[in-house]
């Protein structure tokens, strides 16, 4: 009876998400409709844990044309074919495709290239892909061509033996040291190990002629094995035996399957293999091979990966923004309510320096609903100071500031729901002509609607009086107001008070930021606020301080003894000129 056949453990593919993302980019910007083969590189490791399947990894770096081998990681060179339609993918001649790669391997074996550059010649693969970029689905099929020559290989000395059961500890340590330091990159995958009673040495395949006649030791054809099983060698051995049979004209050999685990070669396998060479070797046109990868159901069919939730750049951006905030919550502020922040609707009155900065800041905090209000156009002096505008916004008289700011936010983060409203806010001290009365009423109604629709109002306008009407409306509507202003050397940031229902008093007193519409109630009594005595005594004498809750905060105008009026110098000068007209007309 014939001895048992050698069985080879095939590769399983593992493709990182980064590979698909880069492929999608290349398909749109470089590959386009070109269906010619693209050179890529994959990697397999020799340090897998026991009984893990041999894995070929393809990742973001696979489009690099060359990769250095390391002692644990070895490159496999392949061809990527991207079809333009799913029908092309299905109807592609799979036998012709895998045979084309097999012909290249066989040519390298027969002309001597395989012995000179084994790592680039013997282990190759093909990857057939259809990329559905509308749905971000990728259909793919790997082929790892294994030559059917010799057609049958036999184990002549029983089952494979683990190296630790045969070799001494000293020999294994010597082999590990010399393998990791004594070979160049091109010979780390396929090489020769020669063992004598006193020495273990490693050699490139080209040195076989000087070693084959030595009688003082044993020669092993070694290779970096992708498999971790104690019973089977990995797929790279298959084409290696074809090289040994054709180039070195042997019918038997000893094989050492190198596996590195825990900085040792002790889990490597020893195999004694023989085969029967046919009377005539096949040609490049007649060589046969196997190697199409089976899918998850163990059938010879392609695989499909759906990355629609990950590959869409807009969704990726959304995930990345949320991740930053979640890390902040996980590490610093466990009580941070990101869902509430995200759902908060913010109204930004004023789209200048402050409005642009606040809009960007709200994006960073995960706010998704932002409305800008302004009545001006972008001028040439704005872009250098106001971060949401560019030079193009100044052309042709300038775009409306509110609209330009809203569009800029969408450019920065497409998932934001931003809009711009061009609106003039009526101001105390600024007279209105009869022709503009109706327009003024419309503006007030629109402003009231906007205040109704939003949870938080930011007052970021240029003048003091422009903040008066929004402050009154926000107070009536019981909305949270944030007031900010810049001077030449001063600034102001102020939160206005907000009235809440009695059940929310405790939340307000604890300092929680309150927003959203709520039923207005009467102002809270002093008993609803916390009193803290720092004087050491009772009563209301000096030293007694009071912690004021958000319910009792006033507004920008509460302690102002001057009624809001026109504070624009240019306008005041104009009014003086008008008043001093000789005929007395105003």
């Amino acid at each position: 009876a014939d001895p048992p056949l050698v069985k080879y453990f095939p590769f399983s593919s593992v493709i990182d998400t980064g590979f698909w993302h880069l492929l999608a980019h290349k398909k749109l910007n470089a590959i386009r409709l070109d269906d010619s083969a693209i050179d890529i590189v994959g990697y397999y490791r020799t340090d897998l844990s026991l009984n893990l399947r041999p894995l070929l990894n393809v990742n973001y770096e696979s489009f690099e044309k060359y990769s250095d081998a390391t002692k644990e990681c070895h490159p496999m060179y392949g061809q990527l074919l991207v079809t333009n339609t799913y029908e092309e993918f299905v109807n592609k001649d799979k036998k012709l495709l895998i045979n084309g790669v097999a012909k290249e391997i066989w040519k390298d074996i027969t002309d001597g290239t395989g012995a000179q550059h084994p790592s680039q010649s013997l282990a190759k693969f093909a990857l057939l892909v259809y990329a559905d970029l509308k749905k971000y689905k990728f259909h793919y099929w790997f082929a790892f061509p294994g030559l059917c020559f010799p057609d049958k290989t036999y184990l002549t000395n029983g089952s494979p033996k683990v190296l630790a059961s045969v070799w001494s500890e000293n020999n294994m340590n010597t082999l590990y040291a010399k393998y990791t330091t004594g070979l160049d990159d091109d010979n780390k995958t396929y090489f020769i190990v020669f063992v004598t009673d006193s020495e273990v040495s490693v050699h490139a395949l080209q040195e076989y002629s000087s070693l084959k006649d030595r009688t003082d030791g044993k020669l092993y054809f070694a290779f970096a094995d992708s498999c971790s099983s104690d019973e089977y060698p990995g797929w790279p051995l298959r084409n290696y035996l074809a090289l040994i049979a054709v180039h070195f004209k042997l019918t038997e050999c000893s094989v050492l399957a190198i596996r590195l685990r825990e900085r040792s070669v002790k889990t490597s396998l020893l195999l004694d293999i023989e085969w029967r060479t046919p009377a005539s070797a096949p040609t490049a046109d007649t060589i046969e091979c196997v190697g199409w990868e089976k899918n998850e159901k163990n059938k010879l069919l392609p695989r499909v990966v759906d990355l629609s939730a990950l590959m869409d750049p807009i969704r990726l951006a959304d995930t990345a923004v949320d991740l930053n905030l979640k890390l902040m919550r996980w590490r610093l502020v466990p009580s941070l309510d990101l869902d509430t922040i995200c759902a908060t609707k913010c109204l930004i009155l004023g789209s200048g320096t402050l409005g642009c900065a606040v809009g960007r800041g709200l994006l960073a905090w995960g706010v998704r609903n932002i409305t800008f209000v302004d009545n001006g156009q972008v001028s040439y002096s704005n872009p250098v100071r106001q971060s949401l505008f560019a030079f193009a916004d100044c052309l042709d008289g300038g775009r409306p500031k509110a609209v330009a700011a809203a569009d800029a936010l969408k450019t920065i983060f497409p998932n934001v729901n931003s809009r711009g409203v061009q609106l003039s806010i009526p101001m105390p001290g600024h007279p209105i002509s009869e022709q503009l009365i109706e327009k003024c009423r419309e503006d007030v109604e629109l402003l009231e609607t906007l205040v109704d629709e939003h949870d938080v109002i930011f007052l970021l306008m240029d003048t003091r009086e422009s903040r008066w009407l929004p402050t009154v409306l926000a107070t009536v509507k019981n909305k949270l107001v944030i007031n900010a202003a810049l001077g030449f050397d001063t600034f102001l940031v102020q939160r206005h008070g907000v009235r809440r229902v009695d059940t929310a008093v405790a939340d307000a007193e604890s300092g929680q930021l309150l927003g959203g519409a709520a039923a207005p109630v009467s102002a809270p009594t002093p008993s609803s606020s916390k009193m803290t005595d720092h004087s050491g005594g009772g009563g209301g004498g000096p030293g007694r301080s009071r912690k004021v809750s958000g319910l009792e905060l006033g507004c920008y105008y509460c302690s102002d003894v001057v009624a809001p009026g026109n504070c624009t110098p240019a306008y005041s000068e104009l009014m003086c000129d008008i008043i001093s007209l000789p005929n007395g007309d105003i």
Side-chain angles (χ1 to χ4, degrees):
D2 290 333
L5 291 170
V6 179
K7 296 182 179 180
Y8 311 92
F9 214 125
F11 279 107
S12 294
S13 61
V14 177
I15 304 181
D16 291 351
T17 303
F19 174 84
W20 296 123
H21 186 63
L22 184 56
L23 176 60
H25 176 77
K26 286 182 174 290
K27 177 65 175 173
L28 291 173
N29 299 288
I31 300 174
R32 298 177 184 173
L33 297 179
D34 187 1
D35 58 359
S36 56
I38 301 170
D39 292 332
I40 60 173
V41 62
Y43 306 86
Y44 73 87
R45 302 187 65 87
T46 59
D47 58 352
L48 297 177
S49 300
L50 184 63
N51 293 326
L52 276 182
R53 296 180 64 86
L55 301 175
L56 177 77
N57 178 252
V58 176
N59 57 30
Y60 190 87
E61 298 177 344
S62 292
F63 288 95
E64 300 294 331
K65 294 189 180 299
Y66 178 77
S67 178
D68 295 335
T70 65
K71 60 180 183 294
E72 299 96 358
C73 188
H74 298 266
M76 275 185 67
Y77 297 91
Q79 293 183 341
L80 169 66
L81 294 98
V82 183
T83 64
N84 293 311
T85 66
Y86 182 70
E87 289 72 21
E88 290 181 31
F89 175 83
V90 172
N91 297 327
K92 190 78 173 179
D93 190 331
K94 311 301 189 299
K95 184 176 181 180
L96 183 64
L97 175 57
I98 194 172
N99 283 346
V101 182
K103 285 181 180 180
E104 294 180 6
I105 298 173
W106 185 253
K107 178 180 177 297
D108 288 343
I109 288 175
T110 55
D111 66 10
T113 303
Q116 295 291 326
H117 307 286
S119 66
Q120 299 181 39
S121 304
L122 300 183
K124 295 185 177 182
F125 67 92
L127 174 56
L128 180 65
V129 172
Y130 166 64
D132 184 349
L133 299 184
K134 290 184 178 179
K135 299 179 180 178
Y136 279 102
K137 288 186 177 181
F138 298 86
H139 303 260
Y140 69 98
W141 204 350
F142 270 93
F144 306 101
L147 302 178
C148 298
F149 183 89
D151 58 347
K152 292 182 180 181
T153 53
Y154 303 95
L155 292 169
T156 58
N157 195 20
S159 300
K161 296 178 176 59
V162 178
L163 189 63
S165 66
V166 179
W167 283 26
S168 67
E169 188 73 25
N170 182 62
N171 279 357
M172 289 189 293
N173 292 338
T174 302
L175 174 59
Y176 178 82
K178 293 193 173 182
Y179 170 63
T180 55
T181 61
L183 293 169
D184 58 35
D185 292 339
D186 203 31
N187 292 295
K188 269 187 164 61
T189 306
Y190 302 95
F191 55 99
I192 291 173
V193 174
F194 197 84
V195 184
T196 67
D197 292 338
S198 59
E199 184 184 14
V200 176
S201 56
V202 295
H203 308 268
L205 291 179
Q206 300 95 301
E207 300 178 52
Y208 173 75
S209 58
S210 64
L211 298 170
K212 65 179 181 178
D213 296 327
R214 287 181 59 174
T215 59
D216 59 334
K218 185 170 183 177
L219 183 148
Y220 294 91
F221 285 96
F223 73 102
D225 194 7
S226 58
C227 186
S228 63
S229 169
D230 290 340
E231 300 179 12
Y232 308 106
W235 200 252
L237 176 58
R238 187 161 195 144
N239 295 341
Y240 194 21
L241 292 180
L243 173 74
I244 295 170
V246 174
H247 186 77
F248 300 119
K249 296 180 172 48
L250 299 178
T251 58
E252 62 179 359
C253 68
S254 295
V255 173
L256 175 54
I258 296 291
R259 295 153 178 199
L260 303 182
R261 199 179 303 153
E262 298 177 359
R263 301 178 64 84
S264 172
V265 295
K266 61 185 179 181
T267 58
S268 301
L269 289 187
L270 293 172
L271 307 94
D272 292 315
I273 302 175
E274 70 174 13
W275 56 88
R276 300 179 181 93
T277 304
S280 59
T283 65
D285 293 328
T286 60
I287 187 67
E288 295 182 355
C289 69
V290 293
W292 282 105
E293 182 185 21
K294 294 182 179 180
N295 66 6
E296 300 88 344
K297 298 180 180 179
N298 205 34
K299 295 183 178 180
L300 280 174
L301 291 171
R303 302 185 180 204
V304 60
V305 57
D306 184 355
L307 297 180
S308 57
L310 298 175
M311 292 298 296
D312 184 348
I314 294 177
R315 295 187 184 182
L316 285 174
D318 198 34
T319 301
V321 171
D322 288 343
L323 180 59
N324 281 342
L325 295 170
K326 288 176 181 177
L327 288 173
M328 192 184 305
R329 181 178 65 187
W330 296 337
R331 295 177 179 177
L332 299 175
V333 192
S335 61
L336 189 62
D337 190 346
L338 297 178
D339 292 334
T340 298
I341 293 175
C342 180
T344 299
K345 297 177 182 178
C346 295
L347 178 64
I348 297 179
L349 301 180
S351 304
T353 302
L354 286 171
C356 291
V358 169
R360 290 293 298 263
L362 291 175
L363 275 189
W365 277 97
V367 176
R368 296 292 189 269
N369 300 283
I370 301 173
T371 300
F372 289 92
V373 173
D374 203 290
N375 70 331
Q377 277 74 35
V378 183
S379 67
Y380 288 103
S381 67
N382 292 154
V384 296
R385 297 178 291 109
Q386 299 169 6
S387 59
L388 294 180
F389 305 134
F391 177 77
D393 297 320
C394 309
L395 303 179
D396 301 322
R399 297 183 64 200
K401 275 190 166 184
V403 175
D407 290 346
L409 281 192
K410 292 179 181 177
T411 302
I412 296 166
F413 184 57
N415 277 336
V416 68
N417 176 27
S418 62
R419 63 175 175 140
V421 178
Q422 194 168 19
L423 172 67
S424 294
I425 298 176
M427 297 177 284
H430 291 248
I432 301 169
S433 65
E434 291 184 1
Q435 294 86 349
L436 297 178
I437 291 178
E438 188 61 32
K439 177 67 167 56
C440 180
R441 288 198 182 102
E442 293 174 0
D443 289 341
V444 172
E445 291 175 359
L446 178 56
L447 180 61
E448 183 177 6
T449 300
L450 290 172
V451 172
D452 269 329
E453 293 173 348
H454 292 78
D455 304 312
V456 181
I457 291 85
F458 289 86
L459 304 184
L460 310 173
M461 295 85 90
D462 289 333
T463 61
R464 173 174 168 269
E465 62 269 24
S466 63
R467 302 162 190 255
W468 182 80
L469 181 58
T471 297
V472 172
L473 289 174
T475 302
V476 171
K477 306 292 184 181
N478 204 29
K479 302 289 183 173
L480 180 64
V481 175
I482 305 294
N483 203 335
L486 286 177
F488 287 106
D489 57 353
T490 58
F491 68 92
L492 167 73
V493 179
Q494 179 186 35
R495 172 193 157 180
H496 289 194
V498 59
R499 296 169 295 133
R500 298 291 291 181
V501 293
D502 293 337
T503 55
V505 169
D507 288 339
E509 292 176 343
S510 67
Q512 179 177 334
L513 185 118
L514 300 175
V521 296
S522 58
T525 61
S527 62
S528 66
S529 62
K530 295 182 179 178
M531 306 293 290
T532 306
D533 186 358
H534 296 283
S535 63
R544 180 176 176 82
S545 63
R546 189 164 177 264
K547 180 180 178 182
V548 181
S549 74
L551 290 170
E552 295 182 309
L553 291 176
C555 76
Y556 180 79
Y557 298 96
C558 280
S559 59
D560 202 336
V561 296
V562 180
N566 182 11
C567 67
T568 306
Y571 188 85
S572 298
E573 293 172 5
L574 176 62
M575 288 300 296
C576 290
D577 292 339
I578 295 174
I579 292 172
S580 63
L581 288 175
N583 59 8
D585 291 339
I586 298 177

